[in-house]
Amino acid sequence: MKQMITLLLVLLGACLQAQDPAYPPAPAAATNITRAEYFIDTDPGFGAGTTIPVTAAADIPSLAASINTGALTAGAHKLCVRTLSAAGNWSITSVVQFVVDFDPAYPSVPASLLNIVKAEYFIDTDPGFGSGFNIPVTAATDIVSLVAGINTASLTAGVHQLYLRTLNAEGRWSFTAIRQFAVDFDPAYPPAPAAVQNIVKLEYFIDGDPGFGNAIDVPVLAATDLPSVIIPVNTNLMASGTHSITLRTRNAEGQWSVTAIRNFIIDADPAYPATPSAAGIIANAEYFFDTDPGFGSGTAFSFTPGVDVNGISLNANTASLSPGPHTLYIRTMGPASITNFVSFNVANVVPLQLLSLDAIEKSGVVTIEATTTNEQNTNRIELEKSYDGQNFTMLQLLPTHNTPGKHLYRFTDAAPQQGVNYYRLKMTDKDGRYTHSKIIVVQAGGRLPWLLYPNPAKNSIVLRGSQPVAATVEIVNVAGAVVVQKNYGAATAEKLVDIAKLPAGLYWVRIKTAATTWVTNFVKE
């Protein structure tokens, strides 16, 4: 089957607009596009692709071309298109992926379906075609409902498999249908127990067990069940605190029941004191940490005086306290004041430390791994992604361990853009404060004409081409101004560019050769 793909090629022009102080002179008039060509998967070289007829023009907004895919194998392929200007400059090659899928022809439908003439089943083990248990059927091309008695008497308890298949008049067997079922043989019920014996004795003891039959006796009427028995227990001589009461019974056969235990508390309340005199006004209060400086020498704080002071809001300054446990004391001046205290801890929180942050691209998926240590008070770690190195959005969120030691976090980006991808981590504490990691850059989508590294960079960047070639390198800031321009000869494939004096931020790099112009970007730290 020959498949044709109609390609709509949109050529977009891009321009950089310079900002103040002065606009640069207008560029030379664009030359006409005089040629277009395409190739699939493998580049035959500039000018050696399949020609696409074009009408020469400076801009071709819509181009229709028929692409022959008849010789391609089924699967994913790449369609590559480029144009040539009248000045002899080739455009950037545009790449689009597509899939070739050759559907096989459907087999011809038989003239008539043959009747099903036989059905059989077997359980667990296949005895061979025609050797299963026969199921009587009425010959027909379709048997929508078939009732069969399956003998499971000889099967052991547990899970088994039932297999069913049919044979048509031409002697062909159907697929074997399989169903699982369980055989569960319930055992016989045990014989009924002997008649329940009467309960003839009840006793209890407090705390210590004196032995069976030696506890305090409780008179009862013999019966098989004692649903409600009132037991007077004398606790007058017991000490204040927690005690346990234990009960048990004995039946007419001399067998003791399970011992039941309940805990209870004896609380001997002292006599109430005499009514105190009328309360005075509380007008002064103070607080101190750890060591008492003496009455009246603590830090005073203001509040509304009254007979009863509650709900006071106090801002106690802990800035001078060392990390570790401390005690806050508060007291008031009046007829009587108890010094209240509360223990607290001044934490010496060590911020999360990022030991490593690495990324690798493989088979179209970018994996980012981060190693941390000293996690305390950390709420979450987010992976953020950017296509320009400035505007980041959250890609993935992971909870933190918040335990001592090293921890490994693994993030994935299943859909990186072709070209440069920027990643960083956002690490947020439980109080809402956060910090960002360094930015790491990953190149995805295959090999590019030039390799830029390191990225981010501090003092210099290296541009490595596939072969030695003369080139002009321009570095452009986000305002569109050229801040570095340097010409390089063809002696080496590497071009070293000094960026030490540039301010930190995002920059674009233009690499111009006799054949083409290539643009990428980097981050200056």
Side-chain angles (χ1 to χ4, degrees), residues 282-338:
I282 299 173
N284 299 295
E286 64 180 13
Y287 75 88
F288 59 90
F289 294 109
D290 300 332
T291 303
D292 192 342
F295 289 100
S297 298
T299 303
F301 60 91
S302 60
F303 63 96
T304 302
V307 174
D308 184 13
V309 178
N310 55 59
I312 296 176
S313 178
L314 169 63
N315 292 322
N317 187 357
T318 62
S320 61
L321 299 180
S322 61
H326 295 273
T327 304
L328 170 65
Y329 295 87
I330 302 175
R331 62 192 172 204
T332 60
M333 180 182 295
S337 172
I338 297 174

Side-chain angles (χ1 to χ4, degrees), residues 313-372:
S313 178
L314 169 63
N315 292 322
N317 187 357
T318 62
S320 61
L321 299 180
S322 61
H326 295 273
T327 304
L328 170 65
Y329 295 87
I330 302 175
R331 62 192 172 204
T332 60
M333 180 182 295
S337 172
I338 297 174
T339 301
N340 293 284
F341 66 92
V342 61
S343 297
F344 65 96
N345 187 67
V346 175
N348 183 15
V349 178
V350 179
L352 178 147
Q353 294 184 16
L354 187 62
L355 299 180
S356 65
L357 181 61
D358 300 294
I360 187 173
E361 186 268 348
K362 184 177 181 181
S363 302
V365 175
V366 176
T367 301
I368 299 94
E369 291 187 346
T371 305
T372 68

Side-chain angles (χ1 to χ4, degrees), residues 56-72:
D59 186 15
I60 302 176
S62 178
L63 178 64
S66 296
I67 310 301
N68 186 357
T69 63
L72 299 179

